[in-house]
Amino acid sequence: MADKRDYYEVLGVEKGVSDDELKKAFRQQAKKYHPDLHPNDKEAESKFKEVNEAYEVLSDKEKRARYDRFGFAGVDPNYGAGSTAYGGGNPFAQDIDLNDIFNSFFGGFGGSSARNRNAPRRGSDVETSISITFEEAAKGCKKEIQYDIVDTCKECNGTGAEKGTDLKTCPVCNGKGQATVNKRTPFGVVQTTQTCEKCRGKGKIIEKPCKKCSGAGRTKITKTVTVTVPAGIGNEQILNISGHGNCGYNGGPAGDLHVYINVKRHDIFERKGDDVWCEIPLTFTQAALGHEVIVPTLDGKVSYNVHAGTQPGDVFKLKGKGIQHLNSKGRGDQYVKVTIEVPRNLNNEQKKALQNFDSLCQSANYQKSTSFFEKVKKLFN
């Protein structure tokens, strides 16, 4: 009893909490540790019972008042509030079913599925990831991937029993999977329905466990599937492959496979939405006189005539050369940004030639610089 936690701490609330806040906290904690979400998890089962016990006391005004005044001794005979204090004539005596409390909040979630551990249940989802190239993302591809799942044991077909043997009806719960326990306390008889510890709620027991799965009915395997990656998929998007996750329970459907897509960076292309961008360097002469350049695209090389007088940062568009729209018709465009490469390490002859060229140029040839320096002159005058 020394390890028993304060009821307010169990539900994560402060003393003086309202009924509505108490109920909300109970629902959150009960869902968190419910046996349906944690099959065969003893720790979760223990916390679930702890949550129910805490709410059973704090939701009752009289019990809560006694608990606030005397602590556990006010509501639990094991703490010495004692049978001698009230004897058999407990004025607070009443029968309480904690399952009724839970079911009043959650309906079917905590009802039939909690009582019937043999009901079909969906398997959990599985996650994996793949890396694809820029081109594969743009145009789509097929990828074969391997990942680990929990699947039905092929040796025992999921029964958990050795091949050729049968499951036996649990002698403790007579196949019900649940046992009703009545506990008399100084404050009443508390009736609870709990999972049978012998069969863990299954209603059946395995006398000779399957050697391959050790009675679990499920084994871990490596599965191989071919995934179709649609054209236009983006980086960090997720593909959902239905029915390729962990197997279900008691004939329930399998979960899904979630495939996270990682698109590798490209040396030339950059994606912006469904458009493709790239930069092309031109020499000063090519930009000044115009030039036919070869532009790389997702469909191969194309020729483009850069007009004379092209400036650094100018952008031209190749319509329909972008990325396929995801799950629809049409494509984005490709945008090509021009950069001008300034020559380095010039020799004397090259420098002289440029100086001669510059002396031949007039203000009409350099409109931007002429305009800028005129503005500077006005600013300081």
Side-chain angles (χ1 to χ4, degrees), residues 254-295:
D256 296 339
L257 169 64
H258 301 307
V259 183
Y260 290 78
I261 303 298
N262 297 317
V263 181
K264 299 176 183 177
R265 294 178 64 88
H266 199 278
D267 292 336
I268 297 176
F269 301 131
E270 180 182 357
R271 180 172 181 172
K272 295 181 181 180
D274 287 341
D275 296 327
V276 174
W277 282 72
C278 70
E279 290 187 355
I280 288 194
L282 297 179
T283 68
F284 173 79
T285 305
Q286 290 172 335
L289 302 180
H291 185 71
E292 182 180 355
V293 295
I294 301 300
V295 181

Side-chain angles (χ1 to χ4, degrees), residues 81-210:
S83 55
T84 56
Y86 295 99
N90 177 14
F92 308 110
Q94 55 183 320
D95 291 335
I96 300 172
D97 189 343
L98 296 181
N99 279 313
D100 289 340
I101 297 175
F102 189 82
N103 292 336
S104 68
F105 293 131
F106 304 116
F109 179 82
S112 60
S113 62
R115 293 190 177 96
N116 183 11
R117 300 296 294 276
N118 295 315
R121 283 184 290 146
R122 181 181 179 275
S124 57
D125 296 335
V126 175
E127 297 177 354
T128 189
S129 63
I130 58 173
S131 294
I132 60 177
T133 65
F134 191 94
E135 289 85 355
E136 288 174 331
K139 295 190 173 184
C141 63
K142 290 184 180 294
K143 288 287 184 180
E144 186 176 87
I145 60 175
Q146 290 186 332
Y147 61 101
D148 293 333
I149 63 166
V150 177
D151 198 11
T152 302
C153 176
K154 305 304 180 186
E155 184 68 23
C156 65
N157 292 322
T159 65
E162 187 177 308
K163 204 169 185 178
T165 64
D166 296 324
L167 299 176
K168 303 295 183 182
T169 300
C170 176
V172 175
C173 65
N174 294 319
K176 295 179 180 179
Q178 300 271 323
T180 301
V181 178
N182 294 321
K183 182 180 180 182
R184 182 168 293 280
T185 75
F187 310 109
V189 177
V190 177
Q191 184 182 74
T192 62
T193 301
Q194 62 186 31
T195 301
C196 175
E197 295 184 0
K198 179 70 174 177
C199 65
R200 296 184 177 181
K202 292 289 187 180
K204 300 284 185 179
I205 59 174
I206 301 170
E207 292 188 324
K208 293 184 178 180
C210 171

